[in-house]
Amino acid sequence: MMWLTFKSSRLFSKVKPKKTLVSLLTLFTLCCLPFISISYGQTSLTAEVEQRENNPQWQQTLAAAKGQNVYFYAWGGSKPINDYLRWATREIARRYKIRLHHVKVADISEAVSRLKAEGGNKSAIDLLWINGENFSYLKQQDLLLGQLWADIPNSVLLATQVFPLKNDFGVAIEGYEVPWGLGQFNLIANSDIFNNSRTDNLTPADILAAAKQHPGRISYPRPPEFHGTTFLKQLLVALSNKDPRLYLQATLEAQSALLPLLWNYLDRLHPLTWQQGKAFPSSNTEQLSLFQQKQLVMAVSFNPNELAKEQHAKRIADSAQRLYFNDGAITNSHNLAIPKGSQSPEAAKVVIHFLLSELAQKQKLTGSWGDPSVITPLLDDTSRLPAQQELHSSWQQVIEDTWQQRYGA
Amino acid sequence: MATKIRRLTLSTAWLIVGLVAGMPLFGVIIGLWPAVELSWTQVTDFFTYKGLASSVLDTLLLSLLAPLIALYVAFMVYSQYRFNPKWQTLEQRLAPLLSLPHLAVALGLVYLFSSGGMLWSSIWGLFNAPAPEWLALPRKSLITMTLAISIKEVPFFLLIFSALGRQLAIKDWLLQGRALGYSEITSWWLLVFPIMLKQSRLALLAAMAYTLSVLDISLLIGPNIPELYAVVLYSWQTGFTEAQQSYAFIGNLLLLVMLGLLIFSIYLHEWLITRGLLAQAVMANPLKIAGLSHVFTAWLGLFSVLTVTILLTFILWSLGWNSQNSLSNINWSFTLWQDEWFFFQAPLLNSLHIALLSSVLGVAISLLALELQKQSRRYLPDYVWLLAILLPQLSMVYGWQIIHTQVGADYNTFWIVLSHLPFTFAYSYLVLKGPFQSLNRHYELVAASFGYSYWQSWWQVRFMLLRPALLSALALAFSVSIAQYIPTLMIGAGRISTITTEAVAIASGNEQSITAVYMLIQATLPFLAFLIASILAQRIRGSFDATHQ
């Protein structure tokens, strides 16, 4: 700031004619306008949050939440995420007198099938971490509590202008879940495996060439694992030159026109992959661990900050790099939802409110997890990748089923 | 009045025993009840599900091979050691060897011997080259899975053989064999093996049923092109679409059919082997397998080394070993332990009190079952009591979960203890039956002649004499309860976390260092139980010998 004032004063002292001065001033004001409007926007946002927090209904929720237990069903396989939730548990207990329990699940579909079995009655689950088909099913079965955006003050902070946060895999969110973080598909790879030196225009051909150079060292998580399916989607987008039919319902015609591109490609790729395609890593974390052990030369990730975090923790080499496909990184949000049968819905709302707060989102971004923020005050341009739209959700099932048919046995 | 009370007590006792022993069957029946209406197309869809056939075949092959390999290895070890002075050491060491959890053995093998594993990477690290692929154990394959399970089951079969061996006149048979001109090892195979094979049918079935529906290990080290059947079935069971629900139903039936096939193959194998051995004996052919037996004198040493190395691997990982480092630049630290210490207390306490309650109850009820049978002078066949071990766990617990959610029951430790009870009961019954039946009646007669009432002599003689066996039953039941994953998860809704559920959730993230911490804690619990049991058992035996000389 000092530097700016100094520079500009020197600039102004040099400028003599009035006209130039006026025009420069106008230019300066114009340049500053976006910053002013953003900072104005932020203060108005904070004011709106405050106003909503003072609303008697929210005060009631806060009062009711005091002393409640919240059983939060969330994947438990990552130490950074578990550590983050432990931090949140302490903060929430201190601020709101709520006990948050992280119920570690190996796969969130376990929670979804439990909700189905409970059929909307009293539930074991108070809060869950969810997106995609799991959300779409629960919303369709009317098993989720609605109105969350309206009820939770901090949801005004959500950066809906910048990110596609109102839809989850093509399904309108409509207040049945609240975005918590952002996923952007990228690859983490050894620096020397792609001939192409740019990190932002990866193509399927690059991957095939790398597989030829490093046979047995490339793989991807076995679909229907989420990251594996997304890898296939990225390939399909690239192979079909971003065909517009991918963003519409997957008709039979579109399938027979587009899918063969992917299968032909995979037919060539699989013999060159890890264990000759006779086994695949079960998850992105397993792939990452194989990458760390130098069994693989690349890994997939949905977190644009993962590379930096892993390097910081000295788990992968400093020379590794982050790459993304030339059509952009498939981007989606991961979200929080409250089941209808939740036994402490008020406390669950307060937990979401806290997790969307600037403090909690900042800790998530800058702490060991490094998950991108979804709120306007903390937009993080440095880690953000150019976004690519999610495919229509019907393609998910088609790709997974056909993959199982062709390569699953 | 007195007889009425007696009858009432007796029937209540039978009811309790019957309920606990019958719970598995009940669960399987409910679990099999179709949740959705089935259409013919769904049935045909199911059977044309791509990969189903190979998944079923792989699973059958694994469930058949791994226990059989373990059985043969165990028999070879047994025949080498039985009349060896080292047998005492072996018997003492069996229990701690048995206590290493399946998951720990499986992950330990992968951490050690896979191509990025510690052993190869440190040896080849010296030459700064990656280890050759063919040398290493594949991370995910039928081979790794078979190896892990067969290694883990050998001590189990040794325990079974050791119990059987006490009831058989092996020494006489070997003498007869010698008299007929066979070498000792040939006599073992020709005379002892057929009998042992027949007697260990249930144990073999138990190991096969376990392998058939084991989930955690299949997920982590099993092959995934195709996936093993338990993994596929579990994903249907936790699936929520209608198609998945109907697949789950047919899938459960198929699992029972597979179990039936395994039972059939146990008999077939027995018949083939007995006939084969007989033919060899008649033709007086030298037995090739007899030569192989000598190799297994080294087993105890090797297995102990393996166990220690696995534990050491976990310790190194938990202290900061990391595949990026070479040996010289590791930052050894206890940070992980310090970080986690606070957070594994609750699961640890849950594990401990669930295991304590369910093992004490399980042992008590199996004692009750034995006593009731003794009084009615009719022993029911073993498979009636061992249903929890013999039926596939996945279907059984699925049924319990349906009931549990239907009645809207709470998620507290009571239900978890109840869901562990059939397993602790069955395993303690397995351990206690032999000692209970073979107890010398003479002592009780003497007590009666001194004027002790039935219950006085039961308590002061029978119970006291059974104490060492009761202790090992308790230790086994305790470790069985600690290792339960599916019932704890499905009945407790994950709300009740134990060391095992935490360990599996954490292992799903493949962060080896933190997984190692939980594996170590999980392995320590049963080990401590066996250690305490063996120390106590020695003391008890000591006092008993002193007072009754």
Side-chain angles (χ1 to χ4, degrees), chain B residues 7 24 34 38-39 62 73 75 89 108 122 132 158 163 165 187 199 208 238 288 378 407 426 473 488 507 518 526 548:
Chain B
R7 267 193 200 150
L38 275 183
S39 65
L62 170 76
V73 171
F75 184 75
T89 340
S122 26
L158 272 174
S187 316
Q199 302 248 12
M208 286 184 180
T238 55
K288 283 196 186 108
R378 215 175 128 245
V407 301
T488 319
Y518 281 84
H548 287 265

Side-chain angles (χ1 to χ4, degrees), chain A residues 71 73 75-80 86 103-104 106 109-110 112-114 116 118 122-124 126 134 137 222 275 277-280 282-283 285-286 289-290 292-295 314-317 343 403-405 407-409, chain B residues 49-51 54 115-116 130 133 138-140 219 224-227 234 237-240 245 317 322-324 336 339-340 343 401 405 408 410-411 485 489-491 493-495 502 505-506 508-512 514 518:
Chain A
Y71 289 90
Y73 282 60
W75 182 62
S78 155
K79 180 163 163 58
R86 287 164 179 178
V103 178
K104 299 192 186 75
S109 67
E110 289 163 20
V112 178
S113 71
R114 176 167 295 279
K116 188 197 176 220
E118 291 164 348
K122 199 178 78 170
S123 174
D126 296 318
N134 293 321
Y137 175 79
R222 184 198 197 281
Q275 301 197 1
K278 290 193 198 87
F280 287 82
S282 306
S283 62
T285 47
E286 186 176 0
S289 126
L290 288 168
Q292 287 165 352
Q293 289 167 26
K294 303 188 176 92
Q295 298 306 298
K314 299 245 173 294
R315 280 193 292 262
I316 58 178
Q343 293 178 55
W403 193 95
Q404 171 68 29
Q405 290 287 331
Y407 307 110
Chain B
Y49 182 85
K50 177 80 176 179
S54 38
S115 48
E133 202 71 40
R139 278 190 86 103
K140 288 181 168 299
L219 272 173
N224 63 11
I225 302 287
E227 288 165 312
Y234 183 69
Q237 285 183 353
T238 55
F240 36 79
Q245 291 287 300
W317 270 96
N322 167 333
S323 39
Q324 292 304 302
L336 217 48
D339 276 7
E340 294 299 316
F343 298 100
Q401 190 199 10
T405 42
D410 256 327
Y411 304 101
Y485 172 63
L489 184 77
M490 286 172 80
I491 304 298
R495 274 194 178 199
E502 293 282 292
I506 283 167
S508 79
N510 287 291
E511 286 174 31
Q512 296 201 353
I514 180 90
Y518 281 84

Side-chain angles (χ1 to χ4, degrees), chain A residues 188-235:
Chain A
I188 294 174
N190 285 351
S191 57
D192 55 350
I193 65 160
F194 295 110
N195 300 329
N196 181 340
S197 61
R198 288 176 54 194
T199 58
D200 58 353
N201 65 349
L202 196 66
T203 63
D206 290 334
I207 295 176
L208 197 59
K212 273 180 192 143
Q213 255 179 22
H214 306 269
R217 304 270 171 195
I218 279 184
S219 193
Y220 58 94
R222 184 198 197 281
E225 201 273 345
F226 183 61
H227 295 77
T229 313
T230 312
F231 179 70
L232 298 183
K233 285 186 199 165
Q234 289 265 211
L235 288 174

Side-chain angles (χ1 to χ4, degrees), chain B residues 140-153:
Chain B
K140 288 181 168 299
S141 76
L142 214 52
I143 296 172
T144 316
M145 185 88 185
T146 313
L147 205 61
I149 291 188
S150 43
I151 287 179
K152 172 62 189 137
E153 298 293 6

